[in-house]
Amino acid sequence: MSCADTTPGSTVPSASSTTTPSPSVVLTDCSFAWPDGAVVLDRVTTAFGRGRTGLVGSNGAGKSTLVRLVTGDLAPTGGRVSTTGPVDLLPQRLRRGPDDTVADLLGIRPRLDALHAILGGDPDPRHFDALGDDWDLEARAVAALSEVGLDLDTGDLLRPVATLSGGQAVLTAVTGVRLRERPVAVLDEPTNDLDLRSRGLLLDLVDRWRGTLVVVSHDRELLEHVDEIAELRDGSMRTSGGTWSDFEQRLAVERSAAERDLRDADQLLRAERRQRIEAETTIARRAKAGRRSAESMPAIIAHARRNKAEATAGRLRSGHGDAEARARDQVDVASRAVRDDDAVRVDLPDPAIPAGRRLAELTVRGRTTVLQGPERIAVVGANGTGKTTLLEQLVGVHGARPHPSADTGATSFTERVAWLPQRRDGLLADDDTVLEHVARAAPTVPDREMRNALARLLVRGSVVDRTTSTLSGGERFRVALAGLVLADPVPQLLVLDEPTNDLDMATTDHLVDVLAAWRGGLVVVSHDERFLDRLGLHARVALD
C-alpha cells in the first residue's frame, strides 16, 4: 500500500535519541499522476540531503507538483515521500492582500499579536502559550530583515505588505523562512522580482543556509550556489553533484555521446536495409531461375526444389528483417537519448514602422530618452524605484499612479501598444482555448494561418485546442506572447515588465528568439542582465 509521510516532524527522533539524522527529503518508488492520466513522477527514488539542491526542469515538467508532494499538500499515487523534519516553503506567488502585513509575510503575526496583547496588560494564558519564550521576537525579526538590506524598525512589522516592492516582499518572506529555522526549506523561484543588490543578498543567504535547502529555479546565477542539481524530466529525476555549470558540462558530454550513438545506429540501419534489399533481389533472381529449370524437371522433383527454395528464402527474409528491426530499435533508443530542445522559427507580422517614427518618450529626473522606430530600450533600477509605474504610464493603464518623482514619467505616441505586465495571472481566460484567445486579438486572420503562426512559436498540435487552464506555465507564457505579437493590427510598440520571471531556460531562449525577430519598438524592464545583454539594446534608462 502506498503512503505519504510528510507530517512535519513525523520522523524526527525523540529528545532522548543519541543521534540526529541530517535533515532530508526522501522519495521512495514515488509516482504521481493527475486524474486525467498525465504522469508527473514515474517510480522515482531519490533523496535531498543536508546542503543546497537546485531543482530544475522545463515549465510543465512537474516541479511545482513535486514541491506540493514534499510539503504534504499532495499525496503520491504510488510509493512514499518522507521528511526528517518539518518543511517550510517560500511559494512562487506570495500573499499580498490588503490586510497582510510584514509580520504576516514573516510568519510571526500570531506571536507578535500575543506579545503586544501581553505588553498591553492582557493576562490571557493563550497569549503566553502563543508567544512561548520568544520575548525578543521583534528585535530578532528587525535584525534578520536588516541582514537582507531592509531598514525597518519594530513599528514597520505591522506595515502593509502592499507598500513593499516585489523584491522587498520576496526578501521579507525568505527572512521568515530563516526565522522559523525548520530543518527542510523549499524556495520556489526566489530571485523573481529581485534587483541586483537584492539578488546578491539572497545569494549570500543561500551560501550560509543551514539544513536542507531545495531551490526551484531557472536562474543560472543562483544555480551556481548549490551543491547538487536535481533535474525533473519526462517523469523521472536525476541528480548530479556540483553547480549548474558542472551539470551543463555533463549534459554536453552525454549529448555528444548520444549523437554519436545515433549516427552509428543510423549507419547500421541503412546497412541492414541495404542488405535486406540485396537479399530480396537475390531471392527474386533465384526464384526466376528455379521456375525456368522446373519446366524441364519431373513435377515431383520440381515441387521439392520449390519448397526448399521457399524455405531458404523465408529464413533469409526473416534473418534480414529481424536484423533491420533490431537496428531500427537501436535508432529509436538513440533518438530518445538525444536531448533536442525545440527552437523557434519566427516569422512575425511586420508593423512597418519608419526608422524615424517617434513611438515613446521616457523622462527620468528631467532627462528624456526618445524611442524611434524599431529601437529597443531597457528600464533598469533597484526595487521600489518605480519601474512598473513608469511602464503603466507608458501604456496608459487605467488608474496608473503618478510616478513618485515629479520630473519622471512616460508618454506613448502610438495607440498600437502591446503590454505584458509583470503579474500575468489574468491575461488568459481559463475557459478559452488557445486558438480562441489569440483569434480574439486577430479576428480577421484565417484559422489555418493562425495555427501555422502559432506552430512557429512552438504552440502546436493539440495544444492549440486546449483550454488555457490546462497549460503549463511556459505554455501559458507562449500563448500570452503570441496573442501580442500576432495581433491584427500589428502593434508598433511592445512593452514587457520582467518577462523572464518564472520562465525556464528554454522558454527564455524562445523569448529572445521572438524578440530578435520583432520589428517594432521595444521597452523592457528586467533585472536579468544575461537576458538584456542578448536583446541588442539601443539604450538603458536607469531609475535609482
Side-chain angles (χ1 to χ4, degrees):
M1 180 176 179
S2 65
C3 66
D5 183 7
T6 53
T7 304
S10 58
T11 58
V12 176
S14 65
S16 60
S17 299
T18 57
T19 60
T20 302
S22 298
S24 64
V25 177
V26 180
L27 282 70
T28 306
D29 203 27
C30 184
S31 298
F32 183 85
W34 293 108
D36 64 1
V39 175
V40 179
L41 295 178
D42 186 12
R43 304 189 68 174
V44 169
T45 296
T46 192
F48 304 143
R50 177 181 288 272
R52 299 153 299 184
T53 298
L55 178 59
V56 302
S58 61
N59 291 128
K63 299 185 299 298
S64 295
T65 302
L66 178 60
V67 168
R68 295 178 66 187
L69 289 168
V70 170
T71 58
D73 187 43
L74 287 175
T77 52
R80 180 184 180 90
V81 180
S82 61
T83 67
T84 58
V87 180
D88 211 337
L89 171 66
L90 174 78
Q92 193 174 135
R93 294 280 178 260
L94 300 177
R95 283 185 51 188
R96 301 185 66 182
D99 297 327
D100 290 323
T101 67
V102 170
D104 289 302
L105 206 53
L106 287 170
I108 63 171
R109 181 65 181 271
R111 285 179 289 162
L112 186 64
D113 288 345
L115 176 63
H116 288 174
I118 294 170
L119 295 178
D122 188 342
D124 192 326
R126 290 176 299 179
H127 299 323
F128 290 88
D129 291 339
L131 181 61
D133 295 327
D134 209 356
W135 294 94
D136 63 344
L137 173 66
E138 290 180 313
R140 289 196 304 110
V142 169
L145 290 170
S146 178
E147 285 187 34
V148 294
L150 298 177
D151 186 18
L152 304 178
D153 57 33
T154 56
D156 289 321
L157 295 178
L158 294 179
R159 172 180 168 182
V161 171
T163 64
L164 302 179
S165 70
Q168 290 171 331
V170 170
L171 288 175
T172 300
V174 174
T175 300
V177 175
R178 289 188 66 221
L179 282 173
R180 290 187 289 272
E181 295 185 321
R182 293 177 184 170
V184 181
V186 180
L187 307 182
D188 195 353
E189 295 290 356
T191 55
N192 282 352
D193 303 322
L194 298 188
D195 58 27
L196 293 178
R197 179 174 179 273
S198 300
R199 285 168 63 88
L201 292 167
L202 177 70
L203 295 178
D204 182 57
L205 287 178
V206 170
D207 288 338
R208 294 185 285 111
W209 205 279
R210 294 178 297 176
T212 297
L213 177 66
V214 179
V215 180
V216 184
S217 184
H218 304 117
D219 187 318
R220 293 173 184 266
E221 184 180 11
L222 174 57
L223 293 173
E224 292 300 318
H225 292 256
V226 300
D227 304 305
E228 69 172 2
I229 298 293
E231 183 192 34
L232 187 59
R233 182 183 177 93
D234 298 332
S236 62
M237 180 173 288
R238 60 177 292 182
T239 57
S240 176
T243 66
W244 176 256
S245 295
D246 299 324
F247 183 65
E248 277 194 314
Q249 290 177 6
R250 293 188 183 96
L251 286 184
V253 172
E254 292 173 3
R255 184 181 296 112
S256 178
E259 290 172 348
R260 183 174 60 252
D261 290 344
L262 180 57
R263 289 194 298 270
D264 293 343
D266 277 331
Q267 291 176 1
L268 178 61
L269 178 58
R270 287 194 294 270
E272 295 292 355
R273 184 180 292 124
R274 184 170 57 251
Q275 291 181 27
R276 178 184 58 78
I277 293 172
E278 291 173 354
E280 291 286 354
T281 302
T282 299
I283 291 170
R285 288 173 180 170
R286 289 178 180 175
K288 184 176 181 181
R291 286 193 297 271
R292 289 176 181 172
S293 61
E295 295 174 356
S296 59
M297 292 180 187
I300 189 170
I301 297 176
H303 181 68
R305 288 193 174 184
R306 183 168 59 253
N307 287 343
K308 182 178 180 180
E310 288 176 352
T312 301
R315 288 194 299 272
L316 196 60
R317 286 194 180 98
S318 177
H320 285 290
D322 290 346
E324 185 178 354
R326 288 194 297 271
R328 188 176 295 109
D329 289 341
Q330 290 183 36
V331 169
D332 291 340
V333 171
S335 296
R336 288 193 294 270
V338 175
R339 300 169 65 105
D340 184 18
D341 294 325
D342 286 331
V344 181
R345 298 181 300 278
V346 184
D347 181 17
L348 298 178
D350 188 354
I353 305 172
R357 168 70 192 279
R358 177 173 296 200
L359 295 180
E361 289 183 354
L362 290 84
T363 301
V364 176
R365 298 188 304 277
R367 181 177 178 180
T368 298
T369 301
V370 178
L371 187 150
Q372 296 185 140
E375 291 183 340
R376 296 153 183 261
I377 292 178
V379 179
V380 298
N383 291 130
T385 54
K387 299 184 298 299
T388 294
T389 300
L390 193 69
L391 294 197
E392 289 177 344
Q393 289 181 349
L394 179 64
V395 301
V397 171
H398 179 68
R401 296 169 296 173
H403 197 277
S405 176
D407 57 354
T408 297
T411 304
S412 170
F413 296 101
T414 175
E415 295 181 355
R416 289 161 55 184
V417 179
W419 163 233
L420 187 70
Q422 185 177 153
R423 304 299 176 194
R424 302 189 284 266
D425 297 340
L427 287 182
L428 305 180
D430 287 346
D431 295 334
D432 278 354
T433 67
V434 170
L435 190 62
E436 287 171 344
H437 171 78
V438 182
R440 190 172 292 114
T444 63
V445 177
D447 181 279
R448 182 173 180 180
E449 183 178 331
M450 183 58 73
R451 288 177 182 271
N452 290 338
L454 286 169
R456 291 193 294 273
L457 292 174
L458 302 185
V459 183
R460 55 171 72 116
S462 61
V463 172
V464 177
D465 297 309
R466 287 167 53 188
T467 57
T468 61
S469 62
T470 67
L471 303 180
S472 70
E475 289 170 333
R476 289 176 67 86
F477 177 82
R478 290 175 187 169
V479 172
L481 183 63
L484 300 180
V485 298
L486 299 178
D488 185 23
V490 184
Q492 294 181 329
L493 178 61
L494 185 60
V495 182
L496 311 177
D497 192 359
E498 293 288 0
T500 60
N501 276 1
D502 305 330
L503 298 190
D504 60 34
M505 297 175 194
T507 306
T508 299
D509 290 340
H510 301 332
L511 173 60
V512 171
D513 290 338
V514 170
L515 296 182
W518 175 247
R519 285 166 281 187
L522 173 67
V523 177
V524 57
V525 163
S526 181
H527 295 302
D528 188 339
E529 286 296 324
R530 292 174 183 264
F531 169 67
L532 293 178
D533 288 343
R534 300 166 67 187
L535 296 184
L537 297 172
H538 294 82
R540 288 180 179 238
V541 175
L543 283 79
D544 52 28

